Amino acid sequence: MLTGKKVLITSGGTFEKWDNVRGHTNLSKGTMGCYLAEGALEKGADVIYMHGVFTQLPEHQNEMKLIQFEGIEDLGNKLKSVLESEHIDYVIMAVAGSDWLIDKVFDQQGNELTEKGKMPSDEPPIIHFKKAPKILAQIKNWSPDTTLIGFKLEATEDESFLLERASTRMETAKADYMVANSSKSLYGAMEPHYIIHRSGETVKVDGKMAAATALINAISR
């Protein structure tokens, strides 16, 4: 059971603004995050559900604390604030964070567009991106005693490669668990998910709901 434990779940995709009207995101809608939040709540946890702008909310959202974030930097700032201000027992990073942020925007003549309202729509802009920060690797610095669960998605059908990449991410982030899945899970309901413990023990389950149930059961033993 998770009675008396605080479980923070990040869910959905980030939204990176190009201007005050446009931006880029991804296909994540927060389905896994909702399953995890409902499962943790059922086990008696106090649930903090951090969600993206376009992310679906759990059925029992009124029994949870909701925190909305926009881009990956906003997520990092809000997550850091929570972890440094209160004790969180588990952080489950089911969020699909952007890998790229907007650096600078230029017009077709090479002039930088600094207007913060809306980019001109009469010609396509030239957008320069920069690498987004890796939030997962910072969490143990903010809260060393928190049990950390990360997710690793790869566009591959090679199980060995997927597990290797997930294990490497788990090691660099000092995570306690890592859930690995392929990008096919964005489209299929019953794609395999691999729950990897830091001991090396790996459990394979099919589908997001089954993966969420198995993960919540694992941390509530």
Side-chain angles (χ1 to χ4, degrees), residues 102 116 164 176:
I102 299 299
K116 301 301 181 182
E164 180 182 347
D176 300 278

Side-chain angles (χ1 to χ4, degrees), residues 122-134:
D122 53 340
E123 63 178 19
I126 299 170
I127 299 175
H128 289 193
F129 292 94
K130 62 182 178 180
K131 189 69 175 172
K134 294 296 185 184

Side-chain angles (χ1 to χ4, degrees), residues 187-206:
Y187 307 95
M190 296 303 293
E191 293 299 321
H193 290 67
Y194 304 86
I195 301 173
I196 310 168
H197 186 257
R198 60 185 175 185
S199 66
E201 178 186 358
T202 301
V203 175
K204 179 182 177 181
V205 290
D206 292 328

Side-chain angles (χ1 to χ4, degrees), residues 84-182:
E84 292 186 341
S85 63
E86 58 184 296
H87 176 75
I88 303 297
D89 297 283
Y90 301 91
V91 168
I92 305 179
M93 291 290 286
V95 64
S98 176
D99 291 322
W100 304 102
L101 306 180
I102 299 299
D103 186 17
K104 294 180 180 180
V105 180
F106 300 88
D107 63 20
Q108 288 293 317
Q109 290 71 47
N111 302 305
E112 184 176 358
L113 300 177
T114 58
E115 177 63 44
K116 301 301 181 182
K118 176 179 178 291
M119 291 186 298
S121 56
D122 53 340
E123 63 178 19
I126 299 170
I127 299 175
H128 289 193
F129 292 94
K130 62 182 178 180
K131 189 69 175 172
K134 294 296 185 184
I135 304 300
L136 187 69
Q138 302 181 56
I139 292 175
K140 284 290 190 175
N141 295 327
W142 299 333
S143 184
D145 296 329
T146 294
T147 298
L148 176 59
I149 299 98
F151 279 68
K152 183 65 173 135
L153 182 144
E154 288 284 347
T156 182
E157 296 183 21
D158 186 331
E159 179 180 314
S160 297
F161 177 76
L162 176 61
L163 295 177
E164 180 182 347
R165 292 280 289 170
S167 297
T168 299
R169 174 67 61 85
M170 180 166 54
E171 182 178 348
T172 57
K174 299 186 174 78
D176 300 278
Y177 292 87
M178 189 66 63
V179 181
N181 58 299
S182 81

